[in-house]
Amino acid sequence: MAGEEVSTVAGELLASEAGGFIGRVPQLEQLQACVSEVRGGASWTVVIEGEAGMGKTMLVQRLMSSLDDFDVLWASCDPMEQDLAFGVVDQLVRRFPPQMLTSSAMLAKAAFRDVAPAEVGAELIRILTTTQAHRPLVLAVDDVQWSDTASRVVLGFLERRLWTQRVLVLVTARTGSEALPGGESGQWWQRAATSTDHYVRMSLTGMDEAETSQMVPASGRDSISPAAVKRLVDYTGGHPLYLRSLLAAIPAGDLADLHRPLAAPESLTSTTRRAVDRLKPDSVSLVEALAVLGKTVPLPLAAQVAGVPASAEALEPALEAGLVQWWPREVPARVRIKHALQQEAIYQTVSPPRRRALHSAAASLVDANAAWRHRVAAADHTAPALAVELDAEADRLASLGQLSRSATLILWAAELSDSRDDHERRLLTGAIRLLLARDYLRCFDLTDAVRSCTESPTRTCVLGGLAYAQGDLQEAQWRLTEALRAADTQGPVHIAELACVWLGTIYTRQHQWEKALPLVLRAAGLDLPQPRAVNYARHLMILASDTLAETRPAPDRRAFTDGEESARAALAASLLLNPRGILREMAKELHAGMEDLKTLVRRQRVGEVQEIQVSEYFTLAAFQYLTGVWDDASLTAQHALTLATSSGQLFDFAAGHAIASMAAASQGRREVALDQLQASEQAAERTQLPLDQVYPVLARVILGQAQGDPHTMDKALKHLPAPSNGWQSWWLPLQVEAYTGTGRLDEAAEALGRLEAIAEDVAGLKVSARWLSGDLSMAKGDSDTASMAYRSGLALPADTDEIPFHRARLNHAYARLLLPTDPATAQRCFHRARETYLTIGATPFTERVTTESAGSQATRPPEEETVDALLEPLTARERAVARLVAEGMTNKETAQNLYVSPKTVEYHLGHIFEKLGLTSRRQLRRALDHQVNSGG
């Protein structure tokens, strides 16, 4: 069976580590508890953190060696491969036997380089679902801090969507001075994991005295006294790798005799080198070659690089010394240095001539992509010819959109340049490409080198881009303004254009539209070397020009014909679907705007257009919230947060967390809403951008609304900055509701007047205005006027762009008014409100309407009983599946929309039918069609 083959490979992978494991009993017990729950059907994510050499990998391997009933997928991240897109995903895929990938051409042929990470994640979920249907699965990623950006997105995507699968995700992450740089953004794995339903975080520290006393005899030494053990722990801090190295290097007498100082060197490099020097010459050569290769390789390849004729004889002593790990059942057998710190220690002690010779040998034997690194390392002086080759390859990769890898090569070329001008030109080009790729964490490491370059417009522009990426908008604005001024007089032209885009972005984020517009107008009309930057400039141009307009914004006529459907828009104009969608939201053309963004996201998923901005996912989530698909809004916001976290960017978190908070609050998930609200407030505090201050305020207001507390709403609204006109349709209804509920009726009337003025031209807000007008009249004690307002609102034909939640509130309010005098009609209004609340998952409002309607003895119409019974038992995820299936989607189409597997849809659909007493999709569709047509 396929699963058995996976487990066999995994068992061979782990066998060499399991026997030498000591201690960590509490951690193993906690892990085993997670394993038990996974066997029972729950998915779990475990993040194990600690300094290098603390035993994270051995702990994971010890656990997995006991999981005979699990299949295992394993990937190990490498700092030298951070710029290779989907490198981690590629390792995981290669662990599958070929027959398991026959249904996926994308994965079988590793044909996902130009596909969106979300689409790769969806395909992986489909395969993983098939696998775990027979046996539970472990997905382990070692040293996740070195994963490539695309793989991070896929991993975060998987974690958030393993709803029903029996999958254990194990992640190890290095902390401390050798961890990935980047501060909080460098801890992306924590953010991704904490959003899952079942999450454990472990921090490994040094071994205690009891565990150390076990390590001594396990290393082949006689037991030593407690005092000697304590001395060892004090000397090493209990660091497992240091302990093992010392136990291998210190003479037995020195170890046990407390009167003899520990003569072993303190550095791991020295102790590791001692172990190497005890080996036979061929074994030393093999170990040194493995240190130079720096990754798992076939044994024959390592032996050829080392110049060793008898590889097996050379390997055996290295295995006995604990320096090398091997996988004998793979064909050919594969080997590597056991631990990254040992590999680095050995590499550092190889003499420079020997190291260059090994790199040179490796360059002619490894694949073309890996050969570049070895060719660079083999150069012992400047190499202008090699630098030119690297330049050409970097430009080729950049033209294919592989900006991170391109930057790596051109930065190597910079180090091999024989002139300062060439060095600085290549260094700055590499930094620009990293910024354009949003590979901020790597780019930050170049800051000092960029500052050391000769003063120039390019240097100033790069420093401005770095300041922007780090959130220092004041310095970024100053630097980019200076870069633009200098480039306009000195050149180069492309730097002026780039400064225009970045400076225009800053002004846009600050809502300084008058300053942004001329900059982006200029950039949009020029021929930038990066088409992505040109499209983004056009995007900003549309937003700025229409925001400055006094009239109702309309879609851009330069990019689209009037009324052109989203799906028919030219691929070249895809990015312009985003600003058109936003403008449609501002005009309350909700469904048309949502289709614009759905089309854009769909094209990005399948690789038809370049990767889009994270903000586009946030905007789509906002549409979904307004149109009442709150489950989708929550999923889209979480996906956007995954993308933002994985790239290390600082912006857009306030929006994403706020929308996730709104959806959770409106659905009654108060604790989740509060957590997301706090995250949104923290993000807004970090950026200090005007728009970012709006998001958490709106989220807090909606939390008060869900709790039925107008005083909390009013208090939060006092902190609302002056938002743009496009946000009035969000905050004006909330303001009227809060003022009415707190008795500030004159202010409520003023806000309502503004809302009614907008509603004159925006059909989707007419229902909202009638509902709030009726509420205000009721607060004034004028029930007749309130009744007229409510009736006129309910008489309005259903509009595709109205806010469903507001129509439900209108039905709810009118039912309250009618209950004393016309309970039968009131009950019908109660139930129409209840149906909509149930459909969108508005649990707090469902509970309220149920309680309030209980006082009426009127008989419910039979069809309304059916709708109530249909929707109430469903969970939020089941409602999302039910809604899409009722729209006529197949399981596969539903899975694609929710980023889950068809098996997961099938699982939820089975529960839906069971809970609702239905037997077919047709019955489900008929019931929900009735709900829509009944005015709910």
Side-chain angles (χ1 to χ4, degrees):
M1 192 175 87
E4 292 174 350
E5 294 191 31
V6 175
S7 292
T8 300
V9 173
E12 189 61 46
L13 170 73
L14 307 173
S16 63
E17 288 289 358
F21 188 82
I22 299 293
R24 305 299 191 194
V25 173
Q27 291 84 0
L28 278 172
E29 290 177 347
Q30 190 175 15
L31 288 169
Q32 287 291 357
C34 294
V35 167
S36 296
E37 295 207 22
V38 171
R39 286 192 179 106
S43 63
W44 273 84
T45 297
V46 181
V47 175
I48 303 173
E49 298 176 330
E51 295 179 4
M54 200 54 71
K56 304 180 295 296
T57 304
M58 289 189 70
L59 176 61
V60 171
Q61 292 175 334
R62 175 65 183 85
L63 172 71
M64 292 195 298
S65 68
S66 67
L67 302 182
D68 295 333
D69 58 329
F70 277 69
D71 289 329
V72 175
L73 298 178
W74 175 274
S76 183
C77 307
D78 191 318
M80 293 181 292
E81 296 181 350
Q82 282 180 268
D83 56 4
L84 298 179
F86 296 106
V88 177
V89 172
D90 190 44
Q91 287 187 58
L92 294 173
V93 170
R94 291 176 188 275
R95 293 291 179 190
F96 282 104
Q99 60 267 34
M100 293 184 64
L101 299 175
T102 53
S103 64
S104 174
M106 178 200 298
L107 298 182
K109 299 178 181 179
F112 39 70
R113 300 299 178 189
D114 297 322
V115 180
E119 199 72 6
V120 177
E123 189 73 351
L124 267 176
I125 283 178
R126 188 176 67 81
I127 298 296
L128 294 181
T129 302
T130 303
T131 302
Q132 64 83 47
H134 303 288
R135 292 158 59 90
L137 178 73
V138 174
L139 193 155
V141 180
D142 197 24
D143 278 327
V144 74
Q145 76 281 349
W146 287 327
S147 57
D148 61 278
T149 300
S151 293
R152 293 180 207 167
V153 175
V154 173
L155 291 173
F157 184 90
L158 290 176
E159 285 180 335
R160 286 194 168 102
R161 285 164 178 82
L162 295 172
W163 293 347
T164 61
Q165 281 74 19
R166 296 182 297 161
V167 179
L168 174 64
V169 179
L170 292 173
V171 172
T172 74
R174 183 179 295 195
T175 57
S177 60
E178 297 186 48
L180 186 71
E184 183 178 351
S185 59
Q187 309 297 312
W188 71 271
W189 61 86
Q190 295 175 9
R191 286 184 175 177
T194 51
S195 66
T196 61
D197 292 337
H198 303 112
Y199 162 66
V200 170
R201 177 182 175 188
M202 295 181 182
S203 295
L204 292 192
T205 55
M207 310 286 276
D208 60 26
E209 292 177 24
E211 292 168 325
T212 302
S213 67
Q214 296 177 47
M215 290 184 67
V216 177
S219 68
R221 305 296 189 91
D222 293 334
S223 297
I224 57 177
S225 68
V229 170
K230 183 178 185 303
R231 181 172 70 149
L232 260 183
V233 173
D234 291 342
Y235 187 67
T236 62
H239 194 289
L241 189 57
Y242 287 2
L243 279 168
R244 293 179 189 278
S245 299
L246 285 171
L247 290 172
I250 299 175
D254 290 357
L255 190 65
D257 189 346
L258 296 178
H259 298 291
R260 289 189 182 182
L262 292 174
E266 294 184 8
S267 73
L268 179 64
T269 299
S270 299
T271 54
T272 302
R273 189 67 221 187
R274 262 193 177 187
V276 173
D277 289 341
R278 290 199 185 99
L279 302 176
K280 296 177 181 179
D282 278 359
S283 294
V284 172
S285 296
L286 181 64
V287 168
E288 290 179 341
L290 286 172
V292 165
L293 288 165
K295 58 194 301 184
T296 304
V297 295
L299 179 58
L301 172 63
Q304 192 172 357
V305 171
V308 173
S311 59
E313 288 78 1
L315 176 63
E316 186 174 2
L319 291 172
E320 291 175 353
L323 294 169
V324 174
Q325 186 173 359
W326 75 320
W327 293 267
R329 290 200 182 185
E330 294 193 17
V331 181
R334 299 174 70 82
V335 291
R336 72 172 299 152
I337 299 297
K338 194 173 228 180
H339 196 281
L341 286 181
Q342 292 173 317
Q343 183 265 330
E344 185 177 337
I346 296 167
Y347 185 83
Q348 294 299 328
T349 60
V350 177
S351 69
R354 171 68 174 157
R355 193 187 306 170
R356 287 196 301 273
L358 289 170
H359 276 297
S360 183
S364 61
L365 298 172
V366 299
D367 64 76
N369 187 50
W372 289 111
R373 178 177 71 87
H374 292 294
R375 290 182 65 189
V376 170
D380 60 348
H381 49 73
T382 58
L386 177 56
V388 170
E389 288 185 64
L390 287 163
D391 244 348
E393 178 65 7
D395 287 345
R396 185 185 74 83
L397 293 175
S399 70
L400 297 176
Q402 299 178 32
L403 293 176
S404 289
R405 181 60 178 168
S406 167
T408 297
L409 297 187
I410 204 164
L411 290 171
W412 284 344
E415 297 305 312
L416 297 175
S417 303
D418 60 351
S419 74
R420 177 169 181 162
D421 287 347
D422 286 341
H423 169 79
E424 292 186 355
R425 173 180 57 80
R426 289 163 173 156
L427 170 66
L428 295 173
T429 300
I432 288 173
R433 287 176 182 173
L434 289 176
L435 287 169
L436 289 172
R438 301 185 205 93
D439 198 343
Y440 299 133
L441 302 179
R442 289 179 62 207
C443 199
F444 294 157
D445 289 339
L446 300 177
T447 303
D448 289 342
V450 171
R451 291 186 186 280
S452 298
C453 289
T454 305
E455 188 81 29
S456 70
T458 303
R459 170 186 177 274
T460 305
C461 185
V462 171
L463 289 174
L466 283 167
Y468 170 74
Q470 291 171 318
D472 189 347
L473 299 190
Q474 185 175 0
E475 180 177 350
Q477 183 176 316
W478 167 67
R479 293 274 189 189
L480 292 170
T481 301
E482 178 59 26
L484 178 59
R485 184 198 61 77
D488 276 340
T489 57
Q490 306 171 31
V493 173
H494 74 274
I495 291 299
E497 297 163 2
L498 193 57
C500 280
V501 176
W502 285 347
L503 193 55
T505 302
I506 291 172
Y507 286 135
T508 299
R509 286 193 178 275
Q510 294 174 330
H511 281 198
Q512 297 185 45
W513 304 106
E514 296 85 352
K515 293 183 178 179
L517 185 57
L519 293 168
V520 295
L521 279 171
R522 171 181 169 182
L526 297 173
D527 185 21
L528 279 169
Q530 288 298 328
R532 183 69 182 76
V534 175
N535 280 339
Y536 191 57
R538 291 171 180 161
H539 166 149
L540 296 176
M541 173 186 66
I542 295 171
L543 288 182
S545 58
D546 282 283
T547 301
L548 289 173
E550 292 292 329
T551 59
R552 171 187 171 204
D556 180 59
R557 301 296 189 262
R558 292 160 294 188
F560 303 96
T561 60
D562 190 24
E564 182 175 29
E565 293 181 6
S566 304
R568 296 175 55 195
L571 284 177
S574 291
L575 191 67
L576 299 182
L577 287 166
N578 183 23
R580 187 175 80 167
I582 294 172
L583 295 173
R584 283 175 158 171
E585 186 276 325
M586 295 165 71
K588 274 295 158 291
E589 299 170 3
L590 295 180
H591 281 80
M594 189 157 60
E595 284 305 311
D596 281 344
L597 293 174
K598 281 185 175 179
T599 298
L600 178 57
V601 169
R602 186 163 51 247
R603 289 177 176 181
Q604 188 262 342
R605 284 184 201 162
V606 299
E608 291 180 343
V609 297
Q610 295 184 40
E611 185 177 354
I612 60 179
Q613 297 285 328
V614 172
S615 60
E616 286 146 17
Y617 282 90
F618 291 139
T619 307
L620 177 57
F623 272 113
Q624 290 166 333
Y625 179 81
L626 285 174
T627 52
V629 282
W630 291 346
D631 293 324
D632 288 2
S634 181
L635 287 172
T636 302
Q638 291 294 341
H639 179 54
L641 290 168
T642 299
L643 293 173
T645 300
S646 302
S647 66
Q649 71 173 53
L650 298 177
F651 305 110
D652 296 319
F653 284 103
H657 286 298
I659 294 168
S661 176
M662 294 175 193
S666 299
Q667 292 178 315
R669 296 179 290 128
R670 187 171 184 276
E671 294 303 317
V672 175
L674 286 170
D675 288 344
Q676 293 288 347
L677 173 59
Q678 183 180 23
S680 179
E681 289 172 338
Q682 291 171 346
E685 179 67 24
R686 282 195 301 270
T687 65
Q688 290 295 311
L689 292 171
L691 186 56
D692 280 358
Q693 312 309 309
V694 174
Y695 298 125
V697 170
L698 289 174
R700 188 168 289 281
V701 174
I702 286 173
L703 182 61
Q705 181 188 58
Q707 295 170 321
D709 185 354
H711 293 280
T712 296
M713 296 174 66
D714 184 37
K715 183 178 178 181
L717 281 166
K718 291 175 181 176
H719 298 281
L720 185 72
S724 69
N725 290 339
W727 283 90
Q728 289 185 97
S729 58
W730 282 75
W731 57 266
L732 270 176
L734 293 168
Q735 200 172 58
V736 177
E737 183 179 358
Y739 290 164
T740 301
T742 55
R744 299 167 60 184
L745 303 186
D746 290 342
E747 292 164 283
E750 180 184 352
L752 177 63
R754 296 166 67 186
L755 179 63
E756 288 174 333
I758 298 173
E760 287 295 320
D761 296 320
V762 181
L765 288 178
K766 292 185 185 300
V767 167
S768 309
R770 301 294 198 282
W771 154 50
L772 292 165
S773 176
D775 278 5
L776 180 57
S777 295
M778 285 295 292
K780 292 177 178 178
D782 187 352
S783 59
D784 290 339
T785 303
S787 180
M788 291 176 59
Y790 292 146
R791 287 200 309 273
S792 67
L794 292 174
L796 290 170
D799 189 279
T800 56
D801 289 322
E802 70 183 34
I803 300 172
F805 178 57
H806 288 182
R807 183 175 282 271
R809 297 292 301 277
L810 172 59
N811 269 299
H812 193 166
Y814 191 39
R816 284 198 195 104
L817 185 151
L818 291 175
L819 190 57
T821 59
D822 187 356
T825 304
Q827 196 62 249
R828 283 192 290 272
C829 290
F830 272 134
H831 293 315
R832 279 197 290 268
R834 190 168 187 264
E835 287 175 17
T836 303
Y837 289 153
L838 285 166
T839 300
I840 63 180
T843 301
F845 300 91
T846 303
E847 292 171 352
R848 265 172 239 155
V849 78
T850 300
T851 300
E852 292 167 14
S853 65
S856 172
Q857 300 301 313
T859 302
R860 296 183 183 184
E863 67 274 11
E864 292 185 348
E865 285 277 3
T866 302
V867 173
D868 285 349
L870 173 70
L871 297 174
E872 190 165 22
L874 301 185
T875 67
R877 287 167 179 166
E878 288 165 353
R879 284 194 303 272
V881 171
R883 179 175 51 75
L884 294 175
V885 169
E887 289 176 5
M889 291 189 182
T890 64
N891 285 5
K892 182 177 180 180
E893 292 168 337
T894 301
Q896 289 173 340
N897 272 271
L898 296 178
Y899 288 107
V900 298
S901 70
K903 285 287 186 182
T904 298
V905 172
E906 183 180 326
Y907 171 89
H908 284 303
L909 200 54
H911 280 277
I912 291 166
F913 288 160
E914 181 181 351
K915 288 180 179 181
L916 308 182
L918 302 176
T919 59
S920 71
R921 304 164 83 96
R922 180 178 297 175
Q923 288 182 351
L924 178 63
R925 188 178 307 122
R926 187 185 302 124
L928 290 188
D929 281 347
H930 164 75
Q931 187 276 330
V932 172
N933 294 330
S934 65

